[in-house]
Amino acid sequence: MWRSLFVFILQVVLFSQCVDRIQFDTTPSVFPVALDGFITDQPGPYEVRVNRAFDIESKNTPKTPLSVRRMEILDNLGNQERLQEAEPGVYRTSAGGIRGVIGRSYRVIVELLDGRIYESIPDTLRPSGQVDEIKYRFISGNATTQPPGFDVTFDARGGAAIDNYYLWRFIGTYQIDTDPELADVSCGESRCPRPRPCSGFILDQGNLVEVGPCTCCTCWVDFFNDVPILSDNRFVQSGRFQDMYAAFVPLNQWIFLHKVYARVEQRSLSRRAFLFWKAIKDQKEAANSLFQPISGRLPRNFIQRAGPEGNLEGIFYAAAVASKGVFITRDDVPNVNLIPAVVVPFRDSCLEFPNSTNLRPAFWNQ
């Protein structure tokens, strides 16, 4: 199940490129399923995604969201919550529902529409530690292989545990401004104006007329590291991780239209969850190497309790979370003329950008 699980996990949560081929026999009615989700000590809601697994080199339609009959999160003290389907294949807890507590263990139970029932192996929520400092350094790049931008690194420390199992996630956020009122469509041999409804403009006798506020002119876009960042004892000294590489932030016209917020999120892991993400990372790095063979197996994290036998791949885990962020601004660029200008406006909704929202993040005005 290597390739399907890898792509599913990396697209949905963090990170999505090629690894070893998976072959699924698509003729039987019992098909493989991929599930990914976690619970933290931070306020919910929490999200679990379910997809029908697939071979991305086959001609079949890839990554099909899968609805289920029932999904519940439970802890070892008897607390539980039934998740609701927010969109196809995406299940969420309520905002004031179950919340992770350090020291408790958590599991998810999912019942598929065909009667199969799976239960994740319980995972204990461990202390998070903290991210001490975010650092960045300008890289001038070159004309052929490396664009200019910023290398982002961080220092962090572990919690009370001595085994130092952590997963770090880089989240970059930037603001974009677009012109959805200038959208147009093909009109014979030319183009005809067709302002997006969210722009607040309508076309009245050939003229643009403003009738309300624009809800898709300004958005905030997230981007992430593409390889899992895991604790490595080569970089730890007395429980401290120094100069861990987070991500490269390219100097392009959209990311540095205003500024970018570079944030590192630290998640505590059990040994089981660590080994799962380590296997994902090894596959990712092997796929990008011409010489490193692809090998190993993902740890199994689900037990089937009922129904016809079939595979459920993926992970549900518990993590305490700590994070820290810093703004990288246009003033941090040694020469502002290096920042490309937006020559052609984006004539559409800013919500067309992947991972975008029109809700201003709470940290943006810091």
Side-chain angles (χ1 to χ4, degrees), residues 50-51 74 97 116 145 167 175 179 181 184 192 207 212 220 247 249 278 293 301 305 307 314 327-328 332 348 356 359:
V50 188
N51 282 268
L74 308 89
R116 281 183 282 167
T145 60
L167 169 71
Q175 178 184 322
D179 299 279
E181 75 280 5
D184 55 17
C192 294
N207 298 312
W220 288 265
V249 179
K278 179 67 164 58
N301 295 302
R305 298 300 190 192
F327 280 108
I328 307 175
D332 292 311
D348 210 331
S356 63
L359 301 176

Side-chain angles (χ1 to χ4, degrees), residues 6 12 49 57 104 128 131 159 162 171 185 191-192 204-205 227 235 265 273 287 291 295 307 309 313 325 336 349 363:
F6 172 76
V12 169
R49 291 176 177 259
E57 288 192 356
R104 296 185 188 177
S128 67
V131 181
I162 60 173
I171 309 104
V185 295
R191 306 287 297 180
C192 294
D204 184 13
Q205 296 183 357
V227 176
F235 299 99
E265 182 181 89
F291 307 103
S295 61
E309 184 176 352
E313 301 289 343
V336 71
S349 164
F363 56 74

Side-chain angles (χ1 to χ4, degrees), residues 121-245:
I121 297 174
D123 199 51
T124 300
L125 201 155
R126 303 152 64 87
S128 67
Q130 68 184 62
V131 181
D132 291 324
E133 184 179 7
I134 309 293
K135 297 172 283 188
Y136 51 90
R137 180 171 64 95
F138 182 75
I139 305 296
S140 58
N142 57 64
T144 55
T145 60
Q146 176 66 56
F150 291 88
D151 273 340
V152 179
T153 60
F154 63 94
D155 296 339
R157 72 180 75 179
I162 60 173
D163 42 19
N164 294 308
Y165 294 135
Y166 296 102
L167 169 71
W168 289 282
R169 185 190 193 201
F170 172 83
I171 309 104
T173 304
Y174 59 93
Q175 178 184 322
I176 58 171
D177 302 313
T178 64
D179 299 279
E181 75 280 5
L182 301 181
D184 55 17
V185 295
S186 178
C187 186
E189 297 182 356
S190 61
R191 306 287 297 180
C192 294
R194 184 71 59 83
R196 296 289 181 257
C198 59
S199 70
F201 282 82
I202 62 171
L203 200 63
D204 184 13
Q205 296 183 357
N207 298 312
L208 282 175
V209 178
E210 187 173 6
V211 295
C214 180
T215 59
C216 60
C217 293
T218 299
C219 286
W220 288 265
V221 182
D222 288 340
F223 62 102
F224 311 93
N225 54 299
D226 60 356
V227 176
I229 309 167
L230 294 168
S231 52
D232 188 328
N233 285 333
R234 291 177 299 172
F235 299 99
V236 64
Q237 298 179 0
S238 302
R240 295 176 180 268
F241 298 88
Q242 303 290 327
D243 297 318
M244 299 286 291
Y245 184 78

Side-chain angles (χ1 to χ4, degrees), residues 63-80:
K63 201 168 81 67
T64 304
L66 194 66
S67 295
V68 303
R69 179 171 292 136
R70 173 175 60 98
M71 184 183 295
E72 295 177 327
I73 294 176
L74 308 89
D75 70 12
N76 59 319
L77 298 184
N79 300 301
Q80 65 185 77

